[in-house]
Amino acid sequence: MTSAPPKSRRRVGSLEVLLLGLIVLASSAGVVSGFVANSSALRTSATVFCGVFVQALPFLVLGVVVSGLIAAFVSAERLQRWLPRRPALAVAVAGVGGAALPGCECGSVPVARRLFGPGTNGAAALTFMLSAPAINPVVLVATAVAFPGQPAMVLARCVASLVTAVVMGLLWSRFGKDEWVTRDLPEAAPDGSSRWVVFTEAARHDFLQAASYLVVGAAAAAALHVLVPAWMFEHLAGHLVVGVVTMALLAAVLALCSEADAFVVASLTMVPLVPRLVFLVVGPAFDVKLSAMHAGMFGRPFAVRFGPATLVVASVVATIVGLAILGGGA
């Protein structure tokens, strides 16, 4: 007589933790809101946190849906066949292809992680990750609305963002190392599973992982809003060179969604156009929430190298393009 195999105990996963956290927050909403209402700093940070998270969440959902479709229908081998063999041409194609995904930077990170592969695939995926949230039609139309009568600003943003994405892709293909990516994606589903199962499992995993780091990044942005006084940026942004550095750091700190950042920076009329362009180019490429998401999706060794390099490249490229197209005007 054989004994029945012991029942495996179900592990508590990230979905259960998320549901438990939501229940706790819902049940303590009254206490938390009363505590926040008594402090102006907490009110400000809570408003910023909700603004960043709520703006980014719909596009994050769009991104993980696309990443799930990629897991179900696009293999690394198929992507390799689609891309040109020459690394520089593959990066250029990926950069221009970023215009096809109408989302923000939060949605492009899980998509890029699904597309990421050794060699050309990795460089093309990172190029797509940087270009998609910056040159898609939604962002460019929003920029045109925010800067009425200034089509040069729209052109400068598109050109500078595309050049930044392509330069970072080329730098990765030349100097990047696959071992810097320490976070492995799990198999979307067991072998033989239907494409629907592969899609749902991949989308669920990517959403839970990316959303958790979006929370961390949004919290960091909210804290920096309170800790860094606004007058400091207004005082420093009076000169072109200092303004470029200031607006690049401000973009990294504020962590705005690429669909909304043009309206924020358009109101800073005391700042010249070139530093404002730097803000628009740096924001979708690198900020505190993206740094957290890079660490969560790719790994910390990748994040500490790719993020600062992107900040420098985006700032330099935006400054050069801005001087060439905008002429440094106010």
Side-chain angles (χ1 to χ4, degrees):
M1 180 177 180
T2 60
S3 59
K7 293 183 178 180
S8 59
R9 300 178 63 181
R10 192 175 189 276
R11 296 177 58 187
V12 177
S14 53
L15 181 60
E16 288 78 7
V17 173
L18 174 63
L19 291 175
L20 178 61
L22 292 175
I23 293 173
V24 171
L25 287 175
S27 60
S28 60
V31 177
V32 173
S33 61
F35 178 73
V36 170
N38 293 328
S39 171
S40 60
L42 287 178
R43 287 199 304 271
T44 301
S45 59
T47 301
V48 172
F49 174 86
C50 292
V52 171
F53 188 82
V54 171
Q55 281 186 98
L57 190 59
F59 298 101
L60 176 61
V61 172
L62 174 63
V64 298
V65 168
V66 174
S67 72
L69 292 173
I70 289 171
F73 295 98
V74 181
S75 64
E77 294 76 14
R78 179 176 295 179
L79 180 63
Q80 189 68 41
R81 290 197 302 268
W82 289 347
L83 290 172
R85 293 184 179 276
R86 295 179 59 184
L89 188 57
V91 165
V93 169
V96 175
L101 181 62
C104 77
E105 57 273 19
C106 298
S108 66
V109 175
V111 174
R113 185 63 188 92
R114 284 286 168 190
L115 291 173
F116 191 90
T120 303
N121 282 15
L126 297 179
T127 303
F128 180 87
M129 181 179 73
L130 294 177
S131 68
I135 67 169
N136 70 72
V138 175
V139 170
L140 297 182
V141 169
T143 306
V145 173
F147 290 89
Q150 295 179 296
M153 177 61 86
V154 182
L155 175 62
R157 181 176 194 178
C158 181
V159 172
S161 298
L162 179 59
V163 172
T164 296
V166 171
V167 169
M168 287 304 302
L170 294 175
L171 288 176
W172 178 268
S173 65
R174 177 65 178 85
F175 302 105
K177 298 180 180 179
D178 293 332
E179 54 264 29
W180 292 345
V181 179
T182 56
R183 288 294 184 97
D184 293 328
L185 286 174
E187 290 294 330
D191 292 337
S193 299
S194 66
R195 285 181 172 175
W196 171 252
V197 172
V198 174
F199 164 75
T200 54
E201 287 300 310
R204 180 187 66 84
H205 168 268
D206 290 354
F207 175 78
L208 291 174
Q209 188 170 43
S212 63
Y213 284 92
L214 175 60
V215 170
V216 174
L224 290 170
H225 266 78
V226 175
L227 298 176
V228 180
W231 62 263
M232 182 179 298
F233 295 107
E234 295 175 1
H235 178 73
L236 293 175
H239 304 281
L240 181 61
V241 176
V242 179
V244 166
V245 177
T246 301
M247 295 301 285
L249 296 177
L250 184 61
V253 168
L254 292 183
L256 299 177
C257 181
S258 60
E259 272 81 7
D261 56 2
F263 298 97
V264 175
V265 77
S267 66
L268 302 178
T269 55
M270 77 292 293
V271 182
L273 283 179
V274 172
R276 283 192 276 175
L277 175 65
V278 171
F279 183 98
L280 294 176
V281 176
V282 169
F286 173 79
D287 59 34
V288 290
K289 75 174 184 299
L290 283 176
S291 180
M293 293 181 72
H294 290 164
M297 299 295 289
F298 292 90
R300 186 175 299 176
F302 171 89
V304 299
R305 292 171 172 85
F306 188 80
T310 303
L311 173 63
V312 173
V313 169
S315 301
V316 172
V317 169
T319 302
I320 295 173
V321 172
L323 291 174
I325 296 179
L326 303 176

